[in-house]
Amino acid sequence: MTATDQSVLINGFGLLFVILNSFGLGLRLPVGKVVAQAVAHWKITVSVLAVNFLVIPLVFVGYLLTVASSIPDEIKVGFCIAALSAGMPFAPILAKLAKADVSIATTLLVVLTIGTVVALPVGLPLAIDAVDAQLRTTAWDVAWPLLLFLLLPIVLGCAFRVWWPELTAPLRQWVVRVAILCLLFNLNFTLVAYWSQFVESWGTESYVAAIAGPFIGLGCGYLLVTALRVKDLGIRHASEVTTAVRNIGPMLLMMIFPFVSDPLVTVSITILNTIGIIVVLAFVLMWRRALPTDEAVAAR
């Protein structure tokens, strides 16, 4: 298989994942309930937006300028993309695994995904300039893939849910399954195609920076719910999960379109996203084990 064939497979499966995952989100999205949840918990909603699109990007940029200043420019760009891509697609699944508030996680996922469509085109060129990377992009180069392949499928999914409600449930199941399969194919082909770059990146402190990523998100999420004095564990963990891991959808679109000719951008995003999911999954399992059992609650 030639490098061109591998690139086509990587980008094709990545693009299919983004489209199908976004369409699937629209299929399971009760718009009225999401709006009501966002309004009812407006302090958390506003704070999560501020943390994800102001605090975390500033911390990431500061980290890249100081502790991780020696890593390659393309990897810095990948981390800048990740810093501005909020709203992890699997946040509701992780929230359910942690026995957290799934509806809050879903609401924050939608809010952050829409926020990413606005923040990434505005913030990415500024973030790249700030870390002195040699790569450049424009707001429109970033915006049009997000609008076409991320936002439009969500809208179409919502419309399908309204027009054909009886078909929504079975279609949603298949869409989600195929989307996850496409993501797994994308990851496997990426590892095969860029294995030498993954190995070369080992000595550049890129993996240390990638490990720092989810801890920055988890730390910011913890400070957020602590500052707001959120006592409900379900809401606390749902907010922390949605803040901890970045959104792979926009990151894949940046790999496929503006930075398709820069393999280290792909490598850095793959490293950070994979490590991030593993770290947050470990915290989710710890939170689940720390919850009191039904018998203990009843005894109280």
Side-chain angles (χ1 to χ4, degrees):
M1 185 181 294
T2 66
T4 302
D5 294 334
Q6 290 176 332
S7 179
V8 169
L9 288 171
I10 291 168
N11 294 338
F13 281 118
L15 190 59
L16 277 174
F17 166 75
V18 176
I19 294 171
L20 291 174
N21 182 72
S22 300
F23 184 68
L25 176 60
L27 288 177
R28 66 179 187 271
L29 192 60
V31 178
K33 184 178 179 180
V34 167
V35 173
Q37 284 269 24
V39 172
H41 300 278
W42 68 270
K43 287 185 179 180
I44 292 177
T45 303
V46 172
S47 299
V48 165
L49 285 169
V51 165
N52 277 274
F53 296 118
L54 289 176
V55 178
I56 289 179
L58 288 173
V59 173
F60 260 85
V61 169
Y63 185 83
L64 293 173
L65 289 174
T66 54
V67 179
S69 60
S70 63
I71 65 177
D73 284 345
E74 291 179 52
I75 292 181
K76 289 181 181 177
V77 170
F79 288 167
C80 288
I81 293 169
L84 288 159
S85 299
M88 180 193 179
F90 307 122
I93 298 175
L94 289 176
K96 185 176 181 180
L97 185 60
K99 296 185 178 179
D101 193 318
V102 177
S103 62
I104 290 293
T106 303
T107 297
L108 295 178
L109 162 62
V110 174
V111 170
L112 290 174
T113 300
I114 295 173
T116 298
V117 174
V118 177
L120 190 57
V122 175
L124 185 57
L126 299 175
I128 292 175
D129 286 340
V131 299
D132 294 325
Q134 298 302 310
L135 302 183
R136 291 291 180 267
T137 189
T138 66
W140 178 244
D141 290 336
V142 176
W144 76 261
L146 297 174
L147 295 171
L148 184 59
F149 299 115
L150 184 69
L151 189 60
L152 180 59
I154 293 176
V155 174
L156 293 177
C158 291
F160 190 98
R161 188 174 187 272
V162 172
W163 294 334
W164 296 288
E166 68 282 357
L167 300 176
T168 298
L171 178 62
R172 181 174 62 231
Q173 293 179 357
W174 283 105
V175 166
V176 171
R177 291 170 183 170
V178 175
I180 293 174
L181 189 62
C182 289
L183 182 60
L184 292 175
F185 277 125
N186 170 268
L187 176 59
N188 286 324
F189 282 117
T190 299
L191 290 172
V192 171
Y194 299 118
W195 182 251
S196 60
Q197 285 90 341
F198 281 103
V199 174
E200 291 171 7
S201 299
W202 182 259
T204 64
E205 299 182 2
S206 301
Y207 286 84
V208 176
I211 292 171
F215 284 101
I216 290 172
L218 284 166
C220 289
Y222 174 78
L223 292 175
L224 182 153
V225 293
T226 301
L228 294 177
R229 298 180 180 178
V230 179
K231 299 188 182 299
D232 188 305
L233 274 180
I235 296 177
R236 287 180 67 95
H237 292 334
S239 303
E240 289 167 336
V241 163
T242 51
T243 301
V245 181
R246 316 317 288 161
N247 193 335
I248 186 60
M251 290 192 277
L252 284 171
L253 291 177
M254 296 304 101
M255 289 160 44
I256 295 168
F257 293 104
F259 301 104
V260 65
S261 59
D262 304 295
L264 282 183
V265 173
T266 298
V267 168
S268 64
I269 287 174
T270 304
I271 293 171
L272 187 133
N273 189 67
T274 304
I275 292 176
I277 291 177
I278 293 171
V279 170
V280 174
L281 181 60
F283 273 86
V284 164
L285 293 176
M286 284 191 295
W287 292 337
R288 182 184 178 91
R289 290 188 64 182
L291 288 174
T293 61
D294 295 338
E295 291 81 1
V297 172
R300 293 177 186 175

